[in-house]
């Protein structure tokens, strides 16, 4: 089988070498397309591929139609909103992700961004500490769990709200010691920092809106290492205009980046490129997991991490 690694934002070399080793040791052919800039390059590369490993690369209906042999797409990472699941099902293609594999890298970045902003970007002025500040986690998947774990070291009370987990579910996760919130409203009301961890779905798009944001303290702090589409940008701009101490730090550059930057140069921060999962360790964890999943799929029909119907 021909396995294509297509990454416009490439993995670190040891991860690529590890993927290649796993694929070739199982008797498959390994090819790669890295740092591509045009969709046409992907359409061309995928045309005789049986399997595809991607990151945030867009795999739409057109890409699937261009790949008549394609049987499996593995998103080496958590969120798979970049893959058209319906089209995949129609084409008989199995789509998987590699849950949890890059969670620690993203969680560490949450703290990196909080500290950077609380210390005024290390400009020498008097900043603030994280200790005993209330942290709210919106959703409670793999990344949020790692954030909760690290937060204990900062002695931060951690609140969590998940639309799909009950209080009992959250309490059962005893090792993370989170305080379950009844609703997203309660979460936003009780938190000094809010960190977003939900996937992008139809019903999570722009779910962080004016009515939720207005419940936070005046000097609230929103951290987004998930997806830009979760936040209603106009509503966030309105809140930041109304509240001179409100801050936004994001690893997913908003569509209105220029406006945020121009209006709130000291209270808005974005990474230049999404880099939550951009560590050697996360690249290796997610990349090797993807390669192993493909090998198991072809060898045993293993569909353990399948996300489409
Ligand atoms: C994910 O969903 O796993 C993260 O957003 C990381 O995405 P990336 O592989 O494009 O960096």
């Amino acid at each position: 089988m021909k396995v294509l690694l297509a990454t416009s934002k490439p993995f670190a070399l040891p991860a690529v070498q590890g993927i290649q080793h796993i694929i070739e040791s199982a008797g498959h052919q390994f090819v790669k397309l890295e740092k591509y800039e045009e969709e046409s390059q992907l359409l061309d590369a995928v045309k005789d591929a049986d399997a595809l490993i991607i990151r945030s690369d867009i795999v739409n209906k057109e890409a699937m139609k261009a790949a008549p042999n394609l049987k499996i797409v593995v998103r080496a990472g958590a969120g798979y909103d970049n893959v058209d699941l319906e089209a995949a099902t129609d084409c008989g293609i199995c789509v998987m992700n590699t849950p949890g594999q890059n969670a620690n890298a993203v969680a560490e970045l949450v703290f990196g961004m909080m500290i950077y902003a609380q210390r005024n970007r290390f400009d020498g002025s008097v900043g603030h500490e994280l200790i005993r500040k209330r942290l709210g986690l919106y959703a409670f998947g793999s990344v949020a769990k790692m954030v909760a774990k690290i937060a204990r070291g900062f002695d931060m009370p951690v609140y969590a709200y998940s639309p799909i987990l009950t209080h009992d579910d959250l309490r059962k996760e005893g090792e993370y010691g989170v305080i379950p919130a009844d609703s997203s409203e309660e979460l936003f009301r009780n938190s000094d920092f809010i960190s977003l961890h939900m996937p992008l779905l139809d019903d999570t798009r722009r779910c962080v809106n004016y009515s939720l944001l207005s419940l936070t303290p005046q000097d609230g702090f929103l951290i987004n290492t998930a997806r830009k589409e979760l936040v209603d940008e106009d509503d966030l701009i309105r809140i930041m205009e109304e509240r001179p101490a409100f801050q936004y730090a994001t690893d997913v550059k908003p569509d209105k980046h220029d406006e945020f930057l121009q209006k709130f140069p000291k209270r808005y921060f974005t990474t230049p490129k999404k880099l939550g999962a951009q560590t050697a360790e996360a690249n290796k964890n997610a990349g090797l997991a993807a390669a192993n999943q493909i090998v198991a799929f072809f060898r045993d029909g293993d569909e353990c991490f399948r996300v489409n119907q």
Side-chain angles (χ1 to χ4, degrees):
M1 299 288 174
K2 187 165 181 174
V3 181
L4 170 67
L5 171 68
T7 47
S8 59
K9 183 175 67 181
F11 281 136
L13 186 60
V16 177
Q17 289 168 333
I19 294 169
Q20 179 166 7
H21 178 72
I22 291 168
I23 299 298
E24 290 179 346
S25 303
H28 303 299
Q29 188 190 351
F30 174 77
V31 284
K32 64 182 181 190
L33 171 71
E34 293 182 314
K35 285 192 190 167
Y36 66 94
E37 283 166 4
E38 307 289 332
E39 191 191 355
S40 59
Q41 293 173 270
L42 177 64
L43 297 187
D44 190 44
V46 85
K47 62 178 187 286
D48 54 354
D50 297 282
L52 181 58
I53 301 176
I54 51 160
R55 297 185 67 178
S56 292
D57 308 80
I58 307 285
V59 179
N60 55 20
K61 198 175 191 161
E62 212 187 338
M64 293 179 206
K65 295 274 180 229
N69 299 341
L70 195 61
K71 296 156 192 71
I72 177 168
V73 175
V74 182
R75 193 286 190 235
Y80 43 84
D81 46 287
N82 48 322
V83 182
D84 185 335
L85 295 188
E86 220 171 288
T89 302
D90 288 348
C91 297
I93 297 168
C94 171
V95 182
M96 297 183 185
N97 65 348
T98 64
Q101 298 293 344
N102 58 23
N104 185 64
V106 181
E108 286 189 13
L109 184 69
V110 169
F111 288 88
M113 293 200 302
M114 286 198 292
I115 291 174
Y116 183 61
Q118 290 301 92
R119 294 300 184 101
N120 304 328
R121 304 168 188 212
F122 309 141
D123 68 358
S125 63
V126 174
H128 292 278
E129 299 175 29
L130 299 183
I131 191 165
R132 287 186 288 279
K133 304 277 170 24
R134 302 164 303 168
L135 174 62
L137 304 177
Y138 197 175
F140 201 62
S142 305
V143 178
K145 285 176 183 166
M146 293 310 301
V147 173
K149 210 164 163 181
I150 298 169
R152 294 174 68 175
F154 286 92
D155 207 3
M156 298 176 88
V158 182
Y159 293 80
Y161 171 71
S162 162
I164 55 166
L165 297 176
T166 64
H167 271 204
D168 281 349
D169 292 332
L170 286 168
R171 280 208 191 87
K172 268 188 221 137
E173 306 276 4
E175 63 175 302
Y176 301 105
V178 296
I179 306 157
D182 274 331
S183 60
S184 50
E185 286 77 11
E186 189 184 306
L187 184 80
F188 276 63
R189 204 175 286 120
N190 286 334
S191 303
D192 300 303
F193 296 84
I194 293 280
S195 188
L196 305 181
H197 297 292
M198 70 281 269
L200 176 62
L201 304 167
D202 285 345
D203 55 1
T204 59
R205 194 175 292 275
R206 288 194 291 281
C207 64
V208 179
N209 54 22
Y210 186 81
S211 64
L212 265 188
L213 290 165
S214 61
L215 299 171
T216 61
Q218 287 294 320
D219 58 352
F221 191 130
L222 183 68
I223 305 126
N224 189 357
T225 52
R227 292 293 180 269
K228 67 177 180 183
E229 295 88 348
L230 299 173
V231 176
D232 185 311
E233 295 181 12
D234 287 324
D235 286 7
L236 178 57
I237 288 170
R238 184 174 159 206
I239 281 286
M240 291 179 77
E241 280 169 343
E242 288 174 6
R243 300 179 176 198
F246 195 100
Q247 297 192 62
Y248 183 43
T250 179
D251 187 34
V252 280
K253 195 184 266 186
D255 292 333
K256 302 206 168 188
H257 165 73
D258 290 342
E259 189 175 345
F260 276 101
L261 200 59
Q262 186 246 319
K263 289 186 167 160
F264 320 110
K266 298 254 171 183
R267 294 188 283 132
Y268 160 74
F269 167 76
T270 184
T271 51
K273 193 181 230 188
K274 186 166 65 148
L275 50 76
Q278 200 61 330
T279 65
E281 294 86 346
N283 282 187
K284 221 167 161 184
N285 292 342
L288 270 49
N292 281 320
Q293 286 170 215
I294 286 175
V295 170
F297 174 81
F298 285 129
R299 191 188 52 219
D300 311 320
D302 187 339
E303 297 195 350
C304 176
F305 293 104
R306 185 173 182 132
V307 295
N308 62 329
Q309 298 304 307

